[in-house]
């Protein structure tokens, strides 16, 4: 995808991460990109088509970040910290994880977008499960329960921490107040 389509996706992503799927329109994108709504329809014939492509692109980018974490020289506990950092990073712009934001609206989303969100969450949870299991085997992490269940709880916690942090005066501090104790409970150090 090139030029205008990428600009449309970039603006749509920012809007969804800040407002949600139901709270943005092609008029919002048109105004920010500086093109007519008809031009958006040329690239994305419907809001559903735009939303589906948006989730796919976000998912691909997120998976690349997970792969980079996985391939880093960091130990599993540091990799877990880096993962949590992905959720912390958008808070300075008051942005949520795209798929976390869409999950809150899952019942009103078109089926194709619901499916993409579910795939994102399932693959993210599977990655976390693998990290927790390998971290436990290497002696760097100590899941309190099975790695699968711990991964679900961890993902739910960072998604929820974003919600709480978003409403706080100092969002990063509020996020850290939740994330740091969670990470400490999973660490074998100290």
């Amino acid at each position: 995808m090139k030029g205008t389509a990428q600009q449309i996706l970039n603006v749509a992503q920012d809007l969804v991460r800040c407002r949600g799927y139901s709270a943005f329109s092609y008029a919002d994108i048109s105004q920010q990109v500086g093109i007519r709504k008809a031009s958006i329809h040329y690239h994305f014939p419907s809001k559903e088509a735009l939303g589906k492509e948006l989730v796919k692109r976000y998912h691909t980018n997120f998976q690349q970040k997970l792969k980079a974490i996985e391939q880093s020289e960091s130990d599993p506990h540091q990799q877990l910290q880096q993962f949590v950092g992905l959720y912390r990073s958008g808070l300075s712009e008051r942005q949520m994880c795209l798929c976390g934001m869409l999950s809150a609206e899952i019942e009103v989303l078109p089926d194709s977008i619901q499916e993409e969100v579910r795939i994102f969450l399932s693959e993210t949870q599977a990655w976390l499960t693998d990290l927790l299991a390998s971290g436990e085997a290497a002696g760097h992490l100590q899941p309190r329960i099975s790695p699968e269940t711990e991964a679900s709880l961890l993902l739910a916690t960072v998604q929820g921490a974003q919600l709480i942090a978003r409403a706080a005066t100092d969002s990063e501090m509020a996020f850290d107040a939740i994330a740091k104790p969670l990470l400490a409970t999973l660490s074998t150090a100290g």
Side-chain angles (χ1 to χ4, degrees), residues 1 13 36 42 46 49 53 60 65 70 77-80 88 91 96 107 113 120 125 130 139 150 157 179 190:
M1 233 175 257
Q13 180 171 307
R36 296 176 328 154
Y42 171 78
S46 66
E53 185 60 34
T60 298
K65 290 175 183 176
E70 194 173 279
H77 187 261
Q78 292 167 332
Q79 290 178 2
L80 189 57
R88 187 185 190 274
L91 291 174
M96 301 278 297
E107 293 300 321
I113 298 174
F120 172 89
Q125 185 174 334
D130 290 346
E150 190 76 68
T157 301

Side-chain angles (χ1 to χ4, degrees), residues 39 59 67 80 82 103-104 108 115 123 127 133 149 161 190:
S39 296
H59 181 191
K67 190 170 197 68
L80 189 57
Q82 292 170 30
S103 293
V108 299
E115 182 61 25
E123 289 185 11
W127 185 89
T149 305

Side-chain angles (χ1 to χ4, degrees), residues 81-190:
Q81 290 173 318
Q82 292 170 30
F83 171 81
V84 171
L86 295 175
Y87 283 85
R88 187 185 190 274
S89 66
L91 291 174
S92 60
E93 287 89 38
R94 309 299 269 177
Q95 291 187 342
M96 301 278 297
C97 166
L98 179 80
C99 291
M101 195 70 149
L102 292 172
S103 293
E105 299 181 276
I106 200 81
E107 293 300 321
V108 299
L109 296 176
D111 291 343
S112 65
I113 298 174
Q114 287 182 27
E115 182 61 25
E116 293 298 327
V117 170
R118 287 184 178 107
I119 291 168
F120 172 89
L121 294 172
S122 174
E123 289 185 11
T124 302
Q125 185 174 334
W127 185 89
L128 270 174
T129 299
D130 290 346
L131 176 61
L132 289 165
S134 65
E136 183 177 34
H140 292 281
L141 297 172
Q142 54 185 11
R144 301 160 293 185
I145 45 184
S146 74
E148 295 83 9
T149 305
E150 190 76 68
S152 294
L153 289 172
L154 181 61
L155 187 55
T157 301
V158 294
Q159 294 276 355
Q162 279 191 323
L163 286 171
I164 291 169
R166 192 168 183 215
T169 306
D170 184 338
S171 59
E172 285 96 352
M173 191 168 76
F175 184 89
D176 291 344
I178 297 166
K180 285 183 179 180
L182 173 64
L183 291 169
T185 65
L186 295 170
S187 174
T188 57

